Amino acid sequence: MLERDQRQHNPFGNRGDKPGDSRKSFQVDRDRILYSSAFRRLAQITQVVTAQEGHVFHNRLTHSLKVAQVARRLAERLVAEQPKVAEAIGGIDPDVVEAAALSHDLGHPPFGHTAEEELDACAQKAGLADGFEGNAQSFRILTRLAIHRIDYYGLNLTRATLNAILKYPWLRSPDIKSKQHRKYSIYNSDREAFNFARPESNAYQSIEASIMDFADDITYSVHDLEDFYLAGLIPLELLATDWDELDRFVSQWLREFPHNRVARVVKANPHRFQNFLDATYNLKGQYPPGSFEQKAQIKRISSQLIQTYIHSVQLSTKYGDRGHLKYNLQREEELKFLQRIVWSYVISNPRLATQRYGQKRIIRTLFEIYLEAIRDRDLSFIPARFVREFLEIEENSLSATQIEQEKTRMAVDIVSGLSEAEAVVQYRRLIGISQGSFLDNWN
């Protein structure tokens, strides 16, 4: 366990601080993330489906803001109700938790998980063994890509905040069957920053990372469900009352994941989960779709569920002084159940398949074009903000293999850092669909 003062260390010391700034170090972290261009970009990154669909769906920015709010309230509640336990595990700072929550999705590429898979495949094919992963990219943005001061890269955040963003605090495993191959928070090239954030090496989340992670689960379970129920895409009343619909839903879940524990629990006790839906989301057709009354009732239900889940966890020292979140098993199963409803009725909907095909093609084409420009040293084609880093790669004493990997990683950084609008515009221009204008801002 790190001492309290060690948690406040920055990799570049107090460089970048303003004279007379009375904020605490963790408050500075939170504010730097909030004001970063990487955070602002999330307004044009899809959460599940784009805002162009005709409904006001959550995007990654509104999602992150709500995760931050839930995470902060959860942290404040735990500190207030269990102060001695919080102190025994090294302290919990709501500013650290909120900062981690604000930044947890910074690394998401245009078009969300579809692009994440495609960019990972492209990067591996080009020689990067650790490919692309949104969580690892978030850490890289905070420690390398975000611009704050001219004399260093990244935001110069404290050790505690960097540690709190690490949902999966390990490098990518070469074992393709392991969870550590699919989910990881560190690239090989960012190991130095990782070692700063976690001088005590282990594979456990910090307690503040666990709070942020649980707040993320709460938020996308409740708010995504709210979005798509109000859009008429999820038949919650039918699931709450029709045994055949629930059985079809669970059977499909088990066909895809036959060993999923929560799916088996739902199959064994369908009454419990229908009663849960009936007591929460079943409005029994009382209100017309889209009406003031329906929306007000759904807001009430969402608020009640969030409060229920915030109060469902406790701090524990079961595993020593690193701290641990003790979950209520029944509430955790409810969250997984809600998440699967969104997946089954929306995310896996075949109507999104054609969109995903086109989105993958955009990502693949942009990656190939930028990688070729970087390899050919076409500085006029590389976005201006990356030219300085490109020149440093060439000047450093690196092997030919290392230089190639750094250049490939730069192509990944460029493409993953685009907004969805930027990705579409640049794709159309680069393949000749639209010539664009000489006055267009290319950077």
Side-chain angles (χ1 to χ4, degrees), residues 140 312 422:
R140 181 170 174 81
S312 71
E422 288 173 327

Side-chain angles (χ1 to χ4, degrees), residues 13-33:
N14 59 3
R15 287 155 64 186
D17 289 357
K18 295 185 288 292
D21 192 339
S22 61
R23 292 174 297 169
K24 297 178 181 178
S25 55
F26 299 147
Q27 294 173 330
V28 172
D29 287 353
R30 180 256 184 202
D31 294 349
R32 286 181 183 174
I33 293 165

Side-chain angles (χ1 to χ4, degrees), residues 31-233:
D31 294 349
R32 286 181 183 174
I33 293 165
L34 189 66
Y35 279 80
S36 69
S37 58
F39 185 72
R40 189 165 63 250
R41 180 188 74 99
L42 296 179
Q44 292 191 26
I45 302 297
T46 291
Q47 172 71 3
V48 178
V49 298
T50 68
Q52 299 172 3
E53 297 292 335
H55 278 267
V56 184
F57 295 116
H58 284 84
N59 55 43
R60 289 284 168 185
L61 181 65
T62 55
H63 167 72
S64 295
L65 289 169
K66 290 185 176 182
V67 174
Q69 185 270 332
V70 171
R72 185 177 189 93
R73 295 294 173 255
L74 176 54
E76 290 170 343
R77 189 211 123 220
L78 291 171
V79 171
E81 294 184 4
Q82 297 179 271
K84 292 183 179 179
V85 179
E87 184 68 24
I89 60 178
I92 295 173
D93 194 292
D95 284 311
V96 169
V97 175
E98 184 179 2
L102 287 171
S103 58
H104 83 284
D105 269 351
L106 292 181
H108 268 279
F111 315 119
H113 293 295
T114 297
E116 188 172 10
E117 294 170 0
E118 186 64 27
L119 201 48
D120 180 43
C122 289
Q124 290 194 70
K125 185 178 178 181
L128 277 181
D130 51 358
F132 176 84
E133 210 277 346
N135 292 284
Q137 194 70 19
S138 294
F139 187 79
R140 181 170 174 81
I141 288 170
L142 295 177
T143 59
R144 177 74 187 178
L145 299 178
I147 299 173
H148 181 249
R149 292 292 184 268
I150 199 167
D151 54 343
Y152 56 77
Y153 290 110
L155 297 181
N156 194 26
L157 304 180
T158 62
R159 176 178 279 128
T161 296
L162 292 177
N163 197 10
I165 191 62
L166 296 171
K167 291 175 67 172
Y168 310 103
W170 52 75
L171 297 163
R172 186 173 212 175
S173 167
D175 180 4
I176 61 174
K177 294 182 180 179
S178 82
K179 176 186 177 181
Q180 294 187 355
H181 181 83
R182 298 188 305 274
K183 291 291 184 182
Y184 53 101
S185 290
I186 303 298
Y187 296 131
N188 287 318
S189 56
D190 299 322
R191 200 177 305 200
E192 182 179 350
F194 174 64
N195 291 337
F196 168 80
R198 294 178 71 91
E200 300 173 354
S201 179
N202 60 60
Y204 301 109
Q205 291 179 337
S206 72
I207 188 63
E208 286 153 329
S210 295
I211 294 171
M212 174 272 290
D213 197 9
F214 186 60
D216 188 25
D217 281 349
I218 293 173
T219 304
Y220 78 75
S221 298
V222 174
H223 291 135
D224 285 358
L225 193 73
E226 176 185 315
D227 272 355
F228 300 114
Y229 173 69
L230 291 174
L233 297 175

